[in-house]
Amino acid sequence: MHTKTFPIIIACLITLILGGLYIGGSGGILQVTENAFRDVLLLKSEEERLPDDRIKMIVIDDESLQTLGSFPWPRSLYADVADELMSAGAKAVAIDLLLLEPSADAQDDQRLSEVMKRWPSIYVPVQAVFPLLQKDKHSLEIERLDRPASTIGADKNQLGHVNVMQDQDGIIRRLTLGLPDEEGNMIPALSVRLANALLEKREQIIWDADKKVWIQGNRIIPTNDRYQVRIDYYSTAYDSIKGALRGYDRQSFSDVLLGHIDPNYYKDTIVLLGPYSQTLGDRHLTPVSRSIPLFGLEIHANMIQSLLEHDYYQEINPMIGLIMIFIITLLASISAAYFKGFKTYISFGLIILLYMSIGYMCFYLTDTYIPFLYGLLGILAGFVVVTAKKSSDERALRKHVTHLFGRYVSPDVVTALLASKDPIKPGGVRMDITVMFIDIRSFTPLAEQLSPEETLSILNRYLQMCTETVFRHQGMLDKFLGDGVMAIFGAPQRLESHVEFAADAALELTRLAEKWTADMEAEYGRGIQFGIGLECGEAVVGNIGSESLRMDYTAIGDTVNVAARLEGKALPGRIVIGPKAAARLESAYELHSIGRVELKGKSEPMELSELLGKR
């Protein structure tokens, strides 16, 4: 598959898979993890958490239970407190207690009924009972609605549902703005009722039955199919820990009932009255308190403040989210394909940082959630798949190069060359090398006596012997020149003692030639011997030729020319070396001076020597 198209194809496939999970998924571990990413965005410092002081709580806490006795209490107590608060100028009072059955004392219900008729802004809860399983994540089926006892005589406009729906991980992140009753009419949430008590009329939250949407002012509230909207949190369960902020203003019910707190303290506020004791339950986990449950009363207070501040967090349009997943996956795939080494991992980290920054900006500037987890999975999957493909291609190429280059140099040289960090520059590099030329003496007369098949067999045997010997001594086979061979020592992998490797190879070849000569004389009646020329020095080694048509990896320079001329001066079975090679070998090898000899192309005669063996 083409390198340029592979990242695009991979990005498309990954997006298709993740897109199906993102758009059509019904929860599971991916959604739980996605929610965990989003919860981090809701965390605030103590200075940032500023609960609205117009939201007050009168709590049925442990102190009240000790003062007033075991629960439940007579409903006339709630009526008396609510009446005092409204008389003192409170905007609204919500009694967050399920009053489903008539009171044992009819006068209690009568007292509460009278107070509620006097003050329409006193609200009591309705609770919906849902089936164990909904048909799908978009459905909202209700088995029944549990309303307050008829003896209380609450008007329908004084009812608000108190259902808080947990996500799959047991955490409450959403407010259900309303639930339909048996006739399809919408019952607002208790928090909606109380928020409207503080909002100006033109900014109040209402249900548009014709358009089937919730509206606040002149804009539609971004709810899902269950009329739910994500909310923010301004207090946590940790606020009650000593030394932390107090969260929402709250007082004990007994203190208010017994007159220890002036009712005028609640003027122009809304009041939530309900349980705030572990013995009474009603505690839930929230995004900002995942280990210590928060009392339901305080969750309602956070919901109210979210409505007051228009903090409605919405999902990004699914198609835009899908495009974001594709783009970030494609970016990760392309970077994995085109960057190498440490740069690959730097680009991987930068892409993650970029995507998280985009998500952060979308959240804080537009109150919009992007698909954090799915985007990160796309980045990781694109990076891993393309990197794996690139590694596979490199291994295949390495294998191919090893196989191909192994025809020219020994396996040890191939391994060292591939492991080297130093690239061979296009056009060649200047290197100190030893060049050796080998040629069969008297091969043409022998070939005239043999058939072409026999000639080819002898030639292949000769070339095989030369190649194996050169490879054993860390040399590189440059090229075959008919019945001649050119070999290089010290390239492409640099060797400190390349001239000694070349000398040992030449001496070994002469020994092998002696045995081969005996075999040839026995078989064909004529022996074959080699003439070898050898010189060291600087030469340019690299790719030489046409970049578009053909290139050869070879060496050029005076050293190469001299070595070729020396081979022509070598008698059968002899090794002739130049002055530079002689200078480096004379201490460890036996040399015989030939004298100064003129070489073709050289203006001055050169001092040549014959290599006899090691000392």
Side-chain angles (χ1 to χ4, degrees):
M1 190 176 296
H2 199 279
T3 305
K4 292 183 179 179
T5 60
F6 184 73
I8 300 174
I9 294 173
I10 288 300
C12 290
L13 290 175
I14 292 173
T15 303
L16 189 64
I17 296 170
L18 292 178
L21 296 172
Y22 167 55
I23 296 177
S26 57
I29 188 63
L30 291 181
Q31 190 57 51
V32 170
T33 309
E34 179 74 51
N35 285 332
F37 274 105
R38 297 174 175 182
D39 291 347
V40 174
L41 297 174
L42 294 178
L43 298 178
K44 298 178 176 67
S45 66
E46 292 186 358
E47 291 73 19
E48 292 174 319
R49 288 190 287 113
L50 296 173
D52 194 323
D53 61 2
R54 296 175 299 170
I55 303 172
K56 307 291 187 184
M57 295 191 300
I58 297 178
V59 297
I60 302 172
D61 56 3
D62 294 334
E63 179 185 342
S64 298
L65 293 172
Q66 291 175 1
T67 302
L68 301 178
S70 61
F71 199 77
W73 300 325
R75 293 172 183 173
S76 59
L77 299 183
Y78 313 131
D80 292 343
V81 169
D83 192 21
E84 283 191 2
L85 297 177
M86 295 303 296
S87 298
K91 295 281 188 179
V93 175
I95 303 173
D96 187 17
L97 295 167
L98 293 176
L99 310 173
L100 305 182
E101 300 295 332
S103 177
D105 187 344
Q107 291 184 352
D108 281 340
D109 285 353
Q110 180 64 31
R111 169 63 178 153
L112 182 56
S113 177
E114 291 173 357
V115 171
M116 293 190 68
K117 285 182 172 61
R118 184 180 309 126
W119 304 107
S121 294
I122 295 177
Y123 302 101
V124 289
V126 172
Q127 178 175 268
V129 177
F130 302 102
L132 290 177
L133 292 174
Q134 299 284 348
K135 288 191 300 185
D136 52 58
K137 67 177 183 178
H138 305 291
S139 302
L140 185 61
E141 296 179 341
I142 299 174
E143 286 187 352
R144 72 173 189 274
L145 290 170
D146 293 337
R147 291 180 170 84
S150 59
T151 52
I152 294 176
D155 185 81
K156 66 177 183 179
N157 292 324
Q158 291 179 296
L159 302 178
H161 84 80
V162 289
N163 291 84
V164 288
M165 300 184 190
Q166 300 175 345
D167 285 338
Q168 195 171 15
D169 54 0
I171 292 177
I172 295 174
R173 298 181 177 89
R174 296 176 177 87
L175 159 64
T176 306
L177 291 177
L179 293 173
D181 64 12
E182 297 82 355
E183 287 77 35
N185 298 317
M186 197 63 68
I187 302 175
L190 194 65
S191 52
V192 172
R193 295 285 195 192
L194 293 176
N196 282 340
L198 289 177
L199 291 168
E200 296 181 10
K201 189 171 183 60
R202 59 187 178 84
E203 285 294 319
Q204 290 189 345
I205 302 161
I206 60 173
W207 167 249
D208 189 323
D210 296 328
K211 296 180 180 179
K212 304 295 183 184
V213 293
W214 285 91
I215 298 175
Q216 183 170 15
N218 58 0
R219 71 167 183 162
I220 296 175
I221 299 176
T223 61
N224 60 17
D225 295 334
R226 293 177 173 177
Y227 315 119
Q228 294 174 323
V229 63
R230 285 181 175 267
I231 61 167
D232 203 350
Y233 278 85
Y234 309 89
S235 67
T236 76
Y238 309 107
D239 289 337
S240 59
I241 299 175
K242 184 177 180 180
L245 296 177
R246 292 189 59 234
Y248 287 96
D249 188 15
R250 60 183 182 269
Q251 294 80 36
S252 295
F253 180 85
S254 58
D255 288 341
V256 178
L257 179 67
L258 300 176
H260 299 160
I261 298 175
D262 187 347
N264 290 319
Y265 179 74
Y266 298 96
K267 183 179 180 181
D268 296 327
T269 67
I270 57 172
V271 182
L272 283 160
L273 191 160
Y276 206 85
S277 170
Q278 295 187 29
T279 59
L280 300 178
D282 192 24
R283 303 176 73 204
H284 309 274
L285 296 176
T286 70
V288 294
S289 55
R290 300 175 67 92
S291 58
I292 303 177
L294 192 65
F295 286 105
L297 201 66
E298 195 149 11
I299 291 177
H300 287 306
N302 281 281
M303 289 177 172
I304 293 168
Q305 187 164 345
S306 287
L307 297 173
L308 295 177
E309 299 193 12
H310 301 184
D311 282 342
Y312 308 130
Y313 299 116
Q314 58 185 327
E315 299 280 348
I316 198 168
N317 182 288
M319 290 310 299
I320 297 177
L322 197 63
I323 292 171
M324 292 181 70
I325 294 173
F326 172 73
I327 291 175
I328 203 67
T329 302
L330 179 62
L331 190 60
S333 301
I334 291 175
S335 70
Y338 289 96
F339 286 110
K340 294 183 179 180
F342 191 62
K343 291 181 180 178
T344 307
Y345 298 99
I346 292 178
S347 66
F348 177 68
L350 290 177
I351 291 171
I352 291 179
L353 182 61
L354 171 65
Y355 191 69
M356 297 300 286
S357 299
I358 291 173
Y360 181 89
M361 297 301 292
C362 285
F363 179 79
Y364 281 99
L365 296 181
T366 65
D367 295 336
T368 303
Y369 287 116
I370 69 169
F372 280 100
L373 177 64
Y374 297 96
L376 293 177
L377 286 176
I379 294 171
L380 181 61
F383 181 83
V384 169
V385 172
V386 175
T387 300
K389 174 64 165 58
K390 186 170 69 172
S391 297
S392 176
D393 290 345
E394 289 175 352
R395 285 194 299 271
L397 179 61
R398 187 186 183 95
K399 185 177 180 181
H400 174 71
V401 170
T402 302
H403 175 72
L404 185 63
F405 211 23
R407 297 168 180 254
Y408 299 90
V409 296
S410 71
D412 292 340
V413 174
V414 175
T415 302
L417 184 64
L418 292 175
S420 174
K421 301 294 183 181
D422 299 326
I424 299 172
K425 297 179 182 178
V429 291
R430 185 176 292 274
M431 301 179 70
D432 183 56
I433 62 172
T434 298
V435 182
M436 182 167 65
F437 281 86
I438 312 163
D439 188 67
I440 300 179
R441 296 295 186 249
S442 304
F443 183 70
T444 302
L446 177 62
E448 292 175 351
Q449 302 174 14
L450 304 174
S451 66
E453 291 79 9
E454 290 175 323
T455 302
L456 183 61
S457 176
I458 293 173
L459 188 60
N460 284 340
R461 183 178 173 185
Y462 153 69
L463 296 176
Q464 178 74 16
M465 183 172 60
C466 291
T467 302
E468 290 177 351
T469 303
V470 169
F471 284 3
R472 273 196 299 272
H473 296 276
Q474 307 301 309
M476 186 193 87
L477 184 65
D478 185 287
K479 61 175 68 72
F480 296 134
L481 305 167
D483 60 356
V485 175
M486 174 182 172
I488 300 173
F489 296 80
Q493 182 73 8
R494 296 182 184 274
L495 291 173
E496 291 297 328
S497 53
H498 51 79
V499 66
E500 295 179 7
F501 280 103
D504 292 341
L507 291 170
E508 183 176 334
L509 276 172
T510 58
R511 291 193 295 270
L512 292 172
E514 291 176 1
K515 181 179 183 304
W516 194 35
T517 295
D519 295 340
M520 292 293 294
E521 287 180 346
E523 189 171 354
Y524 299 107
R526 182 187 292 269
I528 295 178
Q529 290 187 317
F530 304 157
I532 301 174
L534 187 151
E535 178 61 309
C536 65
E538 282 196 343
V540 175
V541 182
N543 295 310
I544 299 169
S546 170
E547 185 175 352
S548 60
L549 297 177
R550 175 174 175 173
M551 298 185 72
D552 286 328
Y553 185 83
T554 187
I556 59 173
D558 186 61
T559 300
V560 180
N561 297 333
V562 169
R565 301 289 184 265
L566 294 178
E567 177 267 313
K569 296 296 183 181
L571 297 174
R574 303 298 185 182
I575 305 169
V576 177
I577 64 175
K580 294 180 181 177
R584 299 189 194 185
L585 295 173
E586 62 183 356
S587 61
Y589 291 80
E590 292 185 14
L591 305 179
H592 171 67
S593 176
I594 298 176
R596 297 177 64 82
V597 179
E598 290 186 359
L599 298 178
K600 184 179 179 181
K602 303 299 290 185
S603 59
E604 297 290 337
M606 295 186 68
E607 184 70 31
L608 305 185
S609 301
E610 182 181 339
L611 176 63
L612 301 178
K614 274 195 172 183
R615 292 189 183 279

